[in-house]
Amino acid sequence: MAADIAEQPGGFARLLDGEHTGLIAGVAAEVARRRPRNVVFVARGTSDHAALYGAYLTEIRLGLPVASASPSAITLFGARPNFTDTLVIGVSQSGGSPDLTGVLKVARETGGLTLAVTNNPESPLAQAAELSIDVAAGHERAVAATKTYTAELLALLLLIEGIRSGDGTLPADERAALDKLPQLAEDALADRTADDLAQRYRFASRMVTTGRGYAYPTAREAALKLMETSYLPALSFSGADLLHGPLAMTDPDVPVLAVVGDGPGGQSMRDVVTRLGERRADVVTIGATDVPGAAGRLSVPAVTDERYSALLDILPLQKLALALALARGEDPDSPRGLKKVTSTL
């Protein structure tokens, strides 16, 4: 897991090279030409969190409504929704789960434009889709996904921005900002605060993660990593949902990891941190600047646009999950009961 985490700056650089960006640009141009009116994502686990990031990008940047498919409606109950004028995007590291493939097959048969985003271009998911994107993360050693997750995020960002441009080509300022990501990721991974925080939370019995907008997928992915590697119950809420009831369970014994960036989503989270402070909750933020009311911060580099934060904010949280598992005497590389490829129907 440590090796996978460390390879993410290189993964960003690889996906940003001319060959891969050109292939994604071609897919984006074809999607733009087909002019879908709706977008549906289908994914599971970590990839579902990447898909949620894609959903925010799609609604905010493209102005298209987004839904998340319910695979069981198709694979268990035999439903055949009409996907005419709909872009259906399957996101999966392995591309091997039959339920996701089943959704793309039905979507293609009923008039949808189907796209697979996967780390295995020869997978059943990629073969079932009309279009496919290889996230090019390379072999992932640990069961818990890390580098494939951030590769999916970057691939979806390149795709959505390419669709927005109309011809797949990124504007010069966008490309310049993205070219900084590998070094920014190196800087984020160099910070050792996560190792210290792991000792502080070694005996925690449960945790809460929270964020809004582009940060919400990060909060959900962080909770999953803590559960997978440390077997620590971790509940994830959007900042808004946290205030609608779950806030009542927070107290000094429940650590809260709050993703707080500098954009609109992050600004709204500052009020959430204030409310958590009133409950005397143990709050640690993830972001580029300190937030009043928080007891600590996992530092990440500042970025010019909140869209990019998701690719960096998860990095110290991955390190925290790794360090916490080791501090609790667990093996994060081989979590009990889990396999690298999960096959569901």
Side-chain angles (χ1 to χ4, degrees), residues 31 34-39 58 63-66 83-87:
V31 173
R34 302 276 285 271
R35 300 174 64 85
R37 298 177 60 188
N38 317 281
V39 178
T58 301
L64 295 176
V66 175
F83 285 103
T84 301
D85 295 330
T86 301
L87 170 63

Side-chain angles (χ1 to χ4, degrees), residues 68-82:
S68 177
S70 300
S72 62
I74 292 173
T75 60
L76 297 184
F77 294 93
R80 291 180 63 84
N82 184 347

